[in-house]
Amino acid sequence: MSEQMGIQSVCFSNPPYLISSSSVVGTKEREGPLGGKFDVEGEDDYFGSDNWEAAESALQKKALEIMMGKAGVVPEDIRYLFAGDLLGQSVATSFGLQSFGIPLIGLYGACSTAGLALSLAAMTVAAGYADLAAAVTSSHFASAEKQFRFPLEYANQRPLSTTWTVTGSGAFLLPSRKKAEEMRKRAFREKVYAEEESELVSAKWTNRYDVKITGVTTGQIVDFGVRDSMNMGAAMAPAAKDVIETHLRDFGRVPEDYDRIITGDLGKIGREILIHLLREKDIDISGNHTDCGIEIFDCEKQGTGSGGSGCGCSAVTLSAHFLPMLFSGEIKRILFVPTGALLSKISFNEGQNVPGIAHAVVLERCDPCKPK
Amino acid sequence: MSEQMGIQSVCFSNPPYLISSSSVVGTKEREGPLGGKFDVEGEDDYFGSDNWEAAESALQKKALEIMMGKAGVVPEDIRYLFAGDLLGQSVATSFGLQSFGIPLIGLYGACSTAGLALSLAAMTVAAGYADLAAAVTSSHFASAEKQFRFPLEYANQRPLSTTWTVTGSGAFLLPSRKKAEEMRKRAFREKVYAEEESELVSAKWTNRYDVKITGVTTGQIVDFGVRDSMNMGAAMAPAAKDVIETHLRDFGRVPEDYDRIITGDLGKIGREILIHLLREKDIDISGNHTDCGIEIFDCEKQGTGSGGSGCGCSAVTLSAHFLPMLFSGEIKRILFVPTGALLSKISFNEGQNVPGIAHAVVLERCDPCKPK
């Protein structure tokens, strides 16, 4: 059995479904253009915790709980949890997820981690190693500022090129076809599943059984020599370009094969660079490209610089904004490309560049699995 | 196809081989009981770099290069690189591996990362997603002290319960059966492969084609309430107990089915706790348990407290000490269980516990694959 496509992709012969997801966000996200679409929108950004790191852990815990609740599964049903965050030693993940008792694959890909988690969860389910796997990622504005730049109390000014780390966590549930059929059957029996539901508000709360992850392209580190930690979009755009170009070549596709090509958190500056870099390779994605970091904030009104960023940015935007569009049939196939900037406070202070990495995941609507 | 075993294990129906590995270490490791067995033993701990983080990156780069050199492969041959380290945002990995241009799966499992990397690489190859995957992990005493405790210049005293972070990196190459057959054929033709070689010194430098990874058990986070970051062995022992107990139950095995059960870096104190905790479950591993952290240093002579630790500890000890024993036939089957303590300087200062995690990998000698 070989499912390898091209030089760095996999096309699943037995693709997993993505049937449930959740999004938990903070106040700034609630006030943005997608406000009202998220499952939980915090009253404040503490989520009942007394420090920012614990608040981020609380986000992950809540996201996983809600996602499991929607799907009617318990932690024992989930065989692997693929998860990560931006903090040193991934402490938001460790302390957020420890109570579930699910075997944990800890990941680090900076803000590309949502792509990495979905890729590996899909590979694991498609290979038959699990009937049900979950992916969770998070970021928090205040814990990220403290981790990468300055504590909020320092009140430093931010150049317009900076992105604003999203306070949020998204969780996703991937069953095998067999498991999806079982779950759909049960949901149908319990009448919690709406056969022909098309309104977004219902799709948000109702499991659907017609979106699959059909392929992935795993990215490599790309260093274009950017040294400005206040311009992450520029640092990550070359990696996004690299993985999108490779993906299209590996799958023999053109940008128009996708209703949307959705990067994670390039922001406005990164988007421009990405489109420019791909044009140099005769690939034009300007018509169907968008970026989660651009969708989630109204930068001019909200003062969020170039856009949103963080492991949570792409995860919550996929869950609250793009998945419902896939479920409703408004769009049929997307290429989801979370992007990460590889730096730490130490690497930055030691004068290292900020290389980027990005991972691409194909999500598509297909014939729903039918209960027998 | 289902290869799931019990509640949290996988048994491969098409297991990958482990044919090449390497170990690069610093001065303290050279002076320890395993000195002379490592592929590269540094003259100093800088490895040509001017700071500790860059030194750790240099370790990873060197380890991957040497491992590839032994196997006669180039970066383009390797489809996935599974890698991680202990530093915030995994910067040793990002800057150590970026020049290879191999699709990168960044992992974080604290000192258990070598287990996680080998598990995922094995799962990926066994599923047919790659014919060749590599796993690399590292740690460095000075970068870890700076990251988790105090910079060396502070010259703090260390209680006897502390472990000493190993300065080292280990790399491993996992081909599919088909690829291993191809490589063996080529090596045979080129006469770089010694058919009946049994001396360790030769096994170290010669690829062998008779060790497979036949199964893995992925651990979950276990928190026993330990709050002492100077006693990592105690923090990790409950997680090691959990994954070993589950592994034996999932596979229907007893400790005697393994020639060695090898934990990563529990040290002397952690080892005692582990043996005690398993005895409470009527499992006695005292006869065949050992710990990489105990093997690598002579703690009394070298002043290394309870033993060695770090993502590099288990990796270099497996590569330099245990794999040659498997290759030579001295031992037939081992359970390799790297152990990790989940904390950061921030989580520790905020008063969080230090939970543990451990991942188990079965390595066994079997009939060598034969060139046709």
Side-chain angles (χ1 to χ4, degrees):
Chain A
M1 180 198 60
S2 175
E3 306 192 301
Q4 299 168 31
M5 286 286 277
I7 59 165
Q8 59 196 70
S9 302
V10 168
C11 179
F12 300 118
S13 56
N14 209 357
Y17 285 75
L18 196 169
I19 64 153
S20 182
S21 74
S22 67
S23 54
V24 179
V25 300
T27 51
K28 195 110 182 166
E29 294 70 27
R30 187 187 61 205
E31 293 156 6
L34 304 184
K37 291 189 174 185
F38 303 105
D39 295 317
V40 174
E41 305 182 341
E43 291 296 305
D44 59 41
D45 293 329
Y46 278 101
F47 296 89
S49 305
D50 58 6
N51 65 61
W52 300 124
E53 290 75 22
E56 191 176 336
S57 290
L59 285 173
Q60 283 207 18
K61 190 162 187 270
K62 194 93 194 154
L64 188 55
E65 280 169 356
I66 290 174
M67 181 277 278
M68 290 194 302
K70 286 187 191 180
V73 302
V74 293
E76 292 72 33
D77 296 328
I78 300 174
R79 209 170 164 96
Y80 294 98
L81 198 46
F82 295 86
D85 61 86
L86 296 176
L87 302 181
Q89 292 75 47
S90 300
V91 288
T93 300
S94 300
F95 295 101
L97 303 181
Q98 66 175 112
S99 63
F100 295 98
I102 305 172
L104 176 71
I105 313 274
L107 300 170
Y108 187 77
C111 307
S112 75
T113 307
L116 202 52
L118 283 173
S119 295
L120 286 169
M123 288 163 75
T124 298
V125 172
Y129 299 139
D131 296 316
L132 208 51
V136 190
T137 59
S138 70
S139 53
H140 191 296
F141 175 68
S143 63
E145 285 299 302
K146 178 170 150 187
Q147 179 74 73
F148 290 97
R149 299 179 191 97
F150 301 97
L152 297 188
E153 293 80 357
Y154 185 76
N156 62 307
Q157 287 195 312
R158 301 161 62 83
L160 287 174
S161 61
T162 44
T163 47
W164 187 280
T165 305
V166 163
T167 297
S169 174
F172 303 91
L173 189 67
L174 281 67
S176 62
R177 184 179 177 85
K178 184 166 155 269
K179 188 75 180 175
E181 277 168 7
E182 263 175 47
M183 292 175 76
R184 188 177 192 265
K185 208 166 167 178
R186 194 188 60 193
F188 195 78
R189 228 171 24 231
E190 293 169 5
K191 298 190 199 306
V192 296
Y193 167 68
E195 182 75 12
E196 287 303 331
E197 196 62 71
S198 66
E199 291 168 62
L200 287 195
V201 61
S202 304
K204 192 177 115 181
W205 287 103
T206 313
N207 294 320
R208 300 298 297 251
Y209 299 87
D210 44 16
V211 170
K212 289 177 182 176
I213 293 182
T214 54
V216 298
T217 302
T218 304
Q220 49 173 282
I221 300 173
V222 179
D223 184 358
F224 256 42
V226 173
R227 282 176 179 244
D228 181 359
S229 78
M230 297 288 191
N231 191 352
M232 301 287 215
M236 298 185 292
K241 173 246 159 197
D242 191 76
V243 84
I244 292 171
E245 185 190 358
T246 304
H247 173 82
L248 295 173
R249 197 174 51 230
D250 281 355
F251 279 78
R253 290 185 183 159
V254 293
E256 292 68 35
D257 288 327
Y258 292 97
D259 293 312
R260 298 276 197 294
I261 294 175
I262 305 162
T263 47
D265 54 357
L266 294 183
K268 292 175 184 182
I269 294 173
R271 171 184 148 87
E272 274 183 45
I273 299 171
L274 171 65
I275 286 172
H276 177 80
L277 288 173
L278 281 171
R279 273 210 184 114
E280 286 182 350
K281 300 284 177 177
D282 290 322
I283 298 169
D284 184 1
I285 62 163
S286 61
N288 54 356
H289 173 260
T290 185
D291 181 75
C292 298
I294 295 174
E295 300 280 343
I296 200 166
F297 293 131
D298 182 334
C299 294
E300 286 188 20
K301 264 197 207 155
Q302 296 189 279
T304 47
S306 180
S309 62
C311 295
C313 176
S314 56
V316 301
T317 307
L318 176 65
S319 175
H321 188 52
F322 293 111
L323 272 182
M325 289 162 76
L326 271 173
F327 285 140
S328 74
E330 186 182 340
I331 53 179
K332 307 278 190 201
R333 188 198 267 168
I334 62 175
L335 187 64
F336 179 59
V337 191
T339 39
L342 300 168
L343 81 163
S344 74
K345 198 185 272 184
I346 291 176
S347 75
F348 179 73
N349 287 337
E350 287 175 350
Q352 293 272 21
N353 292 346
V354 182
I357 192 163
H359 302 293
V361 180
V362 183
L363 289 137
E364 56 190 297
R365 192 179 151 85
C366 43
D367 293 334
C369 66
K370 292 277 183 199
K372 284 165 194 162
Chain B
M1 178 197 64
S2 174
E3 305 192 300
Q4 299 168 30
M5 285 285 278
I7 60 166
Q8 60 195 69
S9 302
V10 168
C11 179
F12 300 118
S13 57
N14 210 358
Y17 285 75
L18 195 169
I19 65 153
S20 181
S21 75
S22 66
S23 54
V24 179
V25 300
T27 52
K28 195 108 180 169
E29 294 70 27
R30 186 187 63 205
E31 292 157 7
L34 305 184
K37 290 187 173 185
F38 303 105
D39 294 318
V40 175
E41 305 182 342
E43 292 294 306
D44 60 41
D45 293 328
Y46 279 100
F47 296 89
S49 306
D50 59 5
N51 64 60
W52 300 124
E53 290 75 22
E56 192 176 337
S57 290
L59 284 174
Q60 283 205 18
K61 189 161 187 271
K62 195 93 194 156
L64 188 56
E65 279 168 358
I66 290 174
M67 180 277 278
M68 291 193 302
K70 286 187 192 181
V73 302
V74 294
E76 293 71 34
D77 296 328
I78 299 175
R79 207 166 166 98
Y80 294 99
L81 197 45
F82 295 86
D85 62 84
L86 297 177
L87 302 182
Q89 292 75 46
S90 301
V91 287
T93 300
S94 300
F95 294 100
L97 304 181
Q98 66 175 111
S99 62
F100 295 98
I102 306 172
L104 176 69
I105 314 272
L107 300 170
Y108 187 78
C111 308
S112 75
T113 306
L116 202 53
L118 283 173
S119 295
L120 285 169
M123 288 163 75
T124 298
V125 172
Y129 299 139
D131 296 317
L132 208 51
V136 191
T137 60
S138 69
S139 52
H140 192 297
F141 175 68
S143 62
E145 286 297 302
K146 177 170 151 188
Q147 179 74 73
F148 291 97
R149 300 180 191 95
F150 303 98
L152 296 188
E153 293 79 357
Y154 185 76
N156 62 309
Q157 287 195 311
R158 302 162 59 85
L160 286 174
S161 61
T162 44
T163 47
W164 187 280
T165 304
V166 163
T167 297
S169 174
F172 304 90
L173 189 68
L174 279 68
S176 62
R177 182 178 179 86
K178 183 165 154 270
K179 188 76 181 175
E181 276 167 7
E182 262 175 50
M183 292 175 75
R184 188 176 192 266
K185 208 165 166 179
R186 192 188 65 194
F188 195 78
R189 224 169 30 230
E190 292 169 5
K191 296 191 199 307
V192 295
Y193 168 69
E195 181 76 15
E196 288 301 332
E197 194 63 70
S198 66
E199 290 168 61
L200 289 193
V201 62
S202 305
K204 192 175 113 178
W205 286 103
T206 314
N207 294 321
R208 300 299 294 255
Y209 300 87
D210 45 15
V211 170
K212 288 177 181 175
I213 293 182
T214 54
V216 298
T217 302
T218 304
Q220 47 173 284
I221 300 174
V222 178
D223 184 358
F224 257 42
V226 173
R227 282 175 177 246
D228 181 359
S229 80
M230 296 288 192
N231 190 353
M232 302 284 218
M236 299 185 291
K241 172 246 157 197
D242 191 75
V243 84
I244 292 170
E245 185 190 357
T246 305
H247 173 83
L248 294 174
R249 199 175 48 231
D250 281 355
F251 280 78
R253 290 184 182 161
V254 292
E256 292 68 35
D257 287 327
Y258 292 97
D259 291 314
R260 297 276 198 292
I261 293 175
I262 304 163
T263 47
D265 54 356
L266 295 182
K268 292 176 183 179
I269 293 171
R271 170 182 149 89
E272 273 184 44
I273 298 171
L274 171 64
I275 286 173
H276 178 79
L277 288 173
L278 282 171
R279 275 211 182 115
E280 286 180 349
K281 301 283 178 177
D282 291 324
I283 298 168
D284 184 2
I285 63 162
S286 61
N288 54 356
H289 172 262
T290 186
D291 181 75
C292 297
I294 296 175
E295 299 281 343
I296 201 168
F297 292 131
D298 182 333
C299 294
E300 287 190 19
K301 263 197 208 156
Q302 295 188 277
T304 48
S306 178
S309 62
C311 295
C313 177
S314 56
V316 300
T317 306
L318 176 65
S319 175
H321 188 51
F322 293 111
L323 272 182
M325 288 162 76
L326 272 173
F327 286 141
S328 74
E330 186 182 340
I331 54 178
K332 305 278 188 201
R333 187 198 270 167
I334 63 174
L335 187 64
F336 179 58
V337 191
T339 40
L342 299 169
L343 81 162
S344 75
K345 200 185 269 186
I346 291 176
S347 75
F348 180 72
N349 287 338
E350 287 176 350
Q352 293 272 22
N353 292 345
V354 182
I357 193 163
H359 302 292
V361 179
V362 183
L363 290 137
E364 55 191 296
R365 190 179 152 83
C366 42
D367 292 335
C369 67
K370 292 277 181 197
K372 281 164 197 165

